[in-house]
């Protein structure tokens, strides 16, 4: 088993160092990156099974923000809406183009008849919001405006109201344990953006003043372990790794042992990429959870399912399988900027009652945002 403590990372875009001795904003508990280790030294080291060490520098800590851990200032107010607009650009562009085609005359509006309603329904379906939501919106428009002329903004207002109502309370912040460590188990299929999402989450937490330990539990893929190691070096957080093919539960065991002993605030445990239909791998996931609970009985405090937005309706099938087998507590929706079907958030949140915790785009560490129904609706269903 390898314990990897990282050298000082290069400064990341969008973060700034907290001056020495200054408490992070928001009154977060001390012990983040840059604080002294349990042994009293602020230096970190690389440890391997032979017991050799090599001195490394201490990582820098980014500025924390007010409020919930991991919620930085970019999340606030209009900035968050702007972020969602960028993330949803492909979906929004398609939607706006289609919706404008319904209006032949801006001055007089369009008559709401069966043909209009059918065209509107087809446009909504193309966003991947699902037939249930599209039907409710169509019925709302019919009830309010049937046989009347309607303008684009009036229709958009109905859509925004219906979707916002559906997604109300479907977001949420991370559940942080009252005592250290908070344990986050991350699951998903290969290619979903799971490893990158873990890195973004770790970066976000460290910027809020949390001391984070990663557990590279996807031992079936050597590339996954190496990728997480590279991310940990960029972030400046520490990581526990195992040899390729080793039992993932053993990596989780070592990571939990260290997280408890050294007082880490958060331990994020990666797991082997798997399909929701692979029962033997789902059983292995249960083993990992049992090992975690031997160290912290209430853990894992979050089981986050990473879903690829570009998978469209297939993401719903994944959500169903994982929510039943892994006891998921929330969803991280990745690659939202890579699809014109961003409406898939709606049926996922509706059908499974799982809160969408985070939205991810791109490859930059800063490209992870807490989900907000209001910001999502404002960004997606706006007129040109």
């Amino acid at each position: 088993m390898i314990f990897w403590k990282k050298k000082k990372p290069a400064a990341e875009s969008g973060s700034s160092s907290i001056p020495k001795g200054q408490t992070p904003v928001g009154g977060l508990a001390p012990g983040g990156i840059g604080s002294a280790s349990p042994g009293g030294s602020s230096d970190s080291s690389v440890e391997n099974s032979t017991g050799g060490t090599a001195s490394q520098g201490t990582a820098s800590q980014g500025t924390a923000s007010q409020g919930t851990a991991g919620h930085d200032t970019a999340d606030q107010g209009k900035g968050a809406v702007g972020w969602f607009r960028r993330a949803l650009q492909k979906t929004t562009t398609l939607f706006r183009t289609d919706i404008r085609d319904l209006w032949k005359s801006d001055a007089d509006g369009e008559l709401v008849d069966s043909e209009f309603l059918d065209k509107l329904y087809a446009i909504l379906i193309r966003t991947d919001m699902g037939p249930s939501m599209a039907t409710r919106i169509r019925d709302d428009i019919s009830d309010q405006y049937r046989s009347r002329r309607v303008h684009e903004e009036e229709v958009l207002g109905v859509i925004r109201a219906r979707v916002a109502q559906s997604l109300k309370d479907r977001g949420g912040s991370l559940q942080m344990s009252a005592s250290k460590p908070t344990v986050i188990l991350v699951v998903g299929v290969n290619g979903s953006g799971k490893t990158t999402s873990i890195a973004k989450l770790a970066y976000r937490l460290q910027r809020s003043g949390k001391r984070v330990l990663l557990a590279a539990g996807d031992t079936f893929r050597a590339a996954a372990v190496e990728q997480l190691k590279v991310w940990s070096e960029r972030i400046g957080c520490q990581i526990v790794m195992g040899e390729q093919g080793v039992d993932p539960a053993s990596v989780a065991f070592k990571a939990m042992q260290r997280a408890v002993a050294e007082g880490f605030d958060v331990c994020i445990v990666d797991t082997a990429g798997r399909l929701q239909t692979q029962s033997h791998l789902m059983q292995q996931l249960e083993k990992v959870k049992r090992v975690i609970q031997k160290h912290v009985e209430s853990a894992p405090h979050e089981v986050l399912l990473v879903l690829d937005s570009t998978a469209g309706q297939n993401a719903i099938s994944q959500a169903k399988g994982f929510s039943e087998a892994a006891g998921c507590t929330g969803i991280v929706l990745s690659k939202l900027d890579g699809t014109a079907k961003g409406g898939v958030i709606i049926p996922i949140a509706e059908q499974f009652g799982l809160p969408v915790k985070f939205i991810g785009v791109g490859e930059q560490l800063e490209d992870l945002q807490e989900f907000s129904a209001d910001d999502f609706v404002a960004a997606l269903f706006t007129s040109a």
Side-chain angles (χ1 to χ4, degrees):
M1 189 65 58
I2 302 169
F3 298 140
W4 195 277
K5 298 186 180 181
K6 298 302 166 196
K7 62 185 178 181
K8 187 172 182 176
E12 296 290 350
S13 172
S15 66
S16 59
S17 296
I18 293 178
K20 184 175 181 181
Q22 180 177 322
T23 302
V25 179
L28 296 172
I33 296 303
S35 59
S37 65
S41 170
S42 62
D43 289 340
S44 55
S45 61
V46 176
E47 303 173 358
N48 58 32
S49 58
T50 63
T53 63
S55 178
Q56 304 286 343
T58 303
S60 63
Q61 177 174 307
T63 303
S65 66
Q66 296 283 356
T68 305
H71 192 96
D72 64 36
T73 54
D75 292 355
Q76 307 299 327
K78 293 182 180 179
V81 176
W83 189 96
F84 273 97
R85 282 178 179 155
R86 291 190 297 273
L88 290 162
Q89 184 174 3
K90 288 187 177 181
T91 306
T92 303
T93 299
L94 176 64
F95 177 75
R96 285 175 178 171
T97 300
D98 287 348
I99 205 80
R100 280 197 302 268
D101 289 344
L102 287 176
W103 276 266
K104 302 180 182 70
S105 170
D106 289 336
D108 299 330
E110 285 299 316
L111 180 66
V112 177
D113 54 14
S114 296
E115 181 182 1
F116 179 93
L117 292 169
D118 288 345
K119 288 180 179 179
L120 176 62
Y121 178 82
I123 291 169
L124 296 171
I125 287 293
R126 280 197 287 275
T127 69
D128 242 12
M129 66 169 55
S132 177
M133 177 57 67
T135 298
R136 277 177 280 166
I137 291 173
R138 181 186 61 191
D139 292 346
D140 285 348
I141 299 294
S142 179
D143 291 343
Q144 295 181 44
Y145 296 106
R146 187 82 178 193
S147 300
R148 293 171 53 190
R149 290 193 173 274
V150 66
H151 293 279
E152 179 181 347
E153 187 54 41
E154 292 173 307
V155 169
L156 289 174
V158 174
I159 295 173
R160 284 193 291 265
R162 171 58 74 177
V163 175
Q165 180 185 24
S166 173
L167 293 179
K168 185 180 179 181
D169 301 325
R170 295 298 189 187
S173 301
L174 284 175
Q175 297 299 311
M176 305 298 289
S177 174
S179 58
K180 300 179 184 179
T182 293
V183 183
I184 303 171
L185 190 64
V186 184
V187 301
V189 303
N190 288 330
S192 64
K194 178 166 60 69
T195 306
T196 304
S197 296
I198 289 171
K200 292 176 181 178
L201 179 58
Y203 175 74
R204 187 181 182 88
L205 287 166
Q206 288 214 161
R207 288 187 68 197
S208 75
K210 300 297 183 184
R211 188 164 173 248
V212 180
L213 178 66
L214 301 180
D218 192 353
T219 57
F220 296 149
R221 287 195 310 129
V225 175
E226 183 61 28
Q227 184 184 8
L228 198 59
K229 173 186 167 185
V230 170
W231 277 120
S232 70
E233 290 172 344
R234 286 188 59 190
I235 299 165
C237 71
Q238 299 175 27
I239 185 170
V240 174
M241 301 181 294
E243 301 296 334
Q244 183 179 1
V246 73
D247 186 351
S250 68
V251 178
F253 181 89
K254 293 289 186 181
M256 288 301 305
Q257 193 174 49
R258 186 174 175 203
V260 172
E262 298 185 21
F264 280 87
D265 296 300
V266 181
C267 181
I268 305 177
V269 182
D270 191 12
T271 60
R274 68 202 72 215
L275 295 173
Q276 67 275 18
T277 55
Q278 294 174 301
S279 59
H280 64 293
L281 289 178
M282 288 299 180
Q283 291 170 3
Q284 181 196 79
L285 195 58
E286 284 299 319
K287 180 180 179 182
V288 171
K289 290 170 73 173
R290 288 196 300 271
V291 164
I292 289 172
Q293 288 165 355
K294 287 181 179 179
H295 296 276
V296 179
E297 188 175 352
S298 60
H301 304 99
E302 290 275 16
V303 181
L304 299 181
L305 170 61
V306 180
L307 293 175
D308 179 354
S309 300
T310 64
Q313 292 295 309
N314 188 45
I316 296 176
S317 174
Q318 292 174 25
K320 183 176 187 298
F322 275 102
S323 63
E324 292 174 352
C328 298
T329 59
I331 290 170
V332 178
L333 202 58
S334 68
K335 309 179 188 179
L336 190 63
D337 56 330
T339 181
K341 296 178 178 288
V344 73
I345 294 174
I346 299 167
I348 287 174
E350 274 199 319
Q351 291 183 32
F352 308 111
L354 290 176
V356 180
K357 301 272 183 169
F358 293 100
I359 300 295
V361 300
E363 292 293 326
Q364 299 303 310
L365 287 168
E366 297 85 356
D367 291 336
L368 189 74
Q369 183 86 359
E370 282 189 0
F371 178 72
S372 161
D374 290 340
D375 294 337
F376 171 79
V377 170
L380 180 55
F381 302 113
T382 56
S383 56

